[in-house]
């Protein structure tokens, strides 16, 4: 077997209106009575993964219009012109919470760092070419996008609460490369 390396990337950008939407989204999340995840390798204190297909949740209606506009800028730089947002959900991590190595479905996935105080655990992503692991150096208000088959994880969280929004989407249209 031979691996042929091609250049790929993790796209890293900002939600321009993060400060405008952050408290509104967190307030809606606080009102919810959502689930948690606890397995031998994962522990997430609060999440709404089981409702990830429901775009009618109040916090999703606040998030999606802002997110899609900023996401379009990233995608146009990669020749993509249309997306179908399949799933969107939040995860809140308290002290010691972690999410082990995993992959997602769809073409792309990503993380929006909604509540990410300094000292929170970072996201690690593993290259399928050489198994090199990188830590994404994000700050609150940033989001990252990468191919959904990339292994990634959330390291054990420190004492400060961290809230992220995860999403999965497919590409529906594109322009021809140069």
């Amino acid at each position: 077997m031979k691996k042929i390396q091609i250049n790929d990337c993790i796209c890293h950008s900002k939600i321009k209106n993060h400060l405008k939407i952050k408290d509104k989204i967190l307030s809606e999340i606080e009102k919810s009575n959502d689930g948690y995840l606890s397995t031998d390798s994962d522990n997430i204190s609060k999440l709404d993964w089981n409702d990830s297909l429901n775009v009618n949740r109040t916090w999703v209606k606040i998030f999606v219009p802002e997110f899609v506009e900023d996401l379009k800028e990233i995608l146009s730089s990669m020749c993509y012109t249309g997306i179908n947002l399949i799933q969107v959900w939040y995860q809140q991590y308290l002290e010691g919470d972690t999410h082990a190595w995993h992959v997602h479905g769809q073409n792309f996935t990503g993380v929006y760092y909604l509540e990410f105080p300094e000292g929170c655990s970072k996201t690690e992503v593993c290259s399928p070419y050489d198994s090199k692991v990188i830590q994404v150096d994000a700050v609150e208000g940033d989001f990252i996008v990468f191919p959904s088959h990339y292994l990634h994880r959330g390291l054990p969280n420190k004492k400060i609460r961290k809230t992220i929004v995860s999403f999965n989407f497919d590409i529906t249209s594109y322009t021809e490369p140069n």
Side-chain angles (χ1 to χ4, degrees):
M1 186 222 24
K2 177 181 176 184
K3 287 185 177 181
I4 300 171
Q5 183 176 8
I6 63 170
N7 291 332
D8 208 338
C9 61
I10 298 170
C11 295
H12 185 171
S13 190
K14 294 195 171 300
I15 299 285
K16 289 183 185 78
N17 287 322
H18 168 71
L19 293 176
K20 177 181 148 188
I21 64 174
K22 174 188 172 184
D23 289 339
K24 293 176 187 175
I25 293 173
L26 287 171
S27 175
E28 292 303 321
I29 288 172
E30 286 298 319
K31 294 177 192 176
S32 69
N33 189 20
D34 294 314
Y36 62 92
L37 176 65
S38 183
T39 68
D40 289 343
S41 55
D42 294 310
N43 192 59
I44 302 171
S45 290
K46 189 174 180 183
L47 75 163
D48 66 347
W49 162 252
N50 289 336
D51 210 15
S52 64
L53 298 172
N54 178 4
V55 296
N56 292 316
R57 290 166 288 159
T58 304
W59 77 264
V60 174
K61 288 180 179 181
I62 297 166
F63 168 69
V64 167
E66 301 294 338
F67 168 67
V68 169
E69 286 306 309
D70 294 331
L71 179 62
K72 284 179 182 176
E73 290 180 27
I74 286 177
L75 296 178
S76 67
S77 75
M78 298 187 292
C79 299
Y80 303 130
T81 57
I83 67 161
N84 181 17
L85 185 62
I86 307 289
Q87 293 172 295
V88 59
W89 68 99
Y90 75 83
Q91 296 177 182
Q92 276 192 333
Y93 295 80
L94 300 178
E95 184 176 4
D97 285 358
T98 188
H99 200 174
W101 289 113
H102 62 284
V103 297
H104 292 228
Q106 280 59 64
N107 300 144
F108 287 90
T109 190
V111 177
Y112 164 43
Y113 299 90
L114 174 63
E115 182 180 42
F116 198 66
E118 192 172 325
C120 284
S121 63
K122 296 187 178 192
T123 302
E124 288 189 335
V125 182
C126 178
S127 165
Y129 177 73
D130 59 8
S131 299
K132 181 181 177 187
V133 174
I134 65 154
Q135 278 193 359
V136 178
D137 191 22
V139 297
E140 186 174 288
D142 288 357
F143 72 98
I144 59 173
V145 173
F146 52 93
S148 60
H149 67 274
Y150 279 24
L151 281 168
H152 60 285
R153 69 178 174 180
L155 295 169
N157 197 45
K158 309 286 191 230
K159 294 183 179 187
I160 308 163
R161 185 176 79 179
K162 167 177 96 170
T163 306
I164 60 146
V165 172
S166 288
F167 46 87
N168 295 330
F169 64 92
D170 284 330
I171 300 301
T172 59
S173 58
Y174 55 89
T175 58
E176 301 247 345
N178 294 335

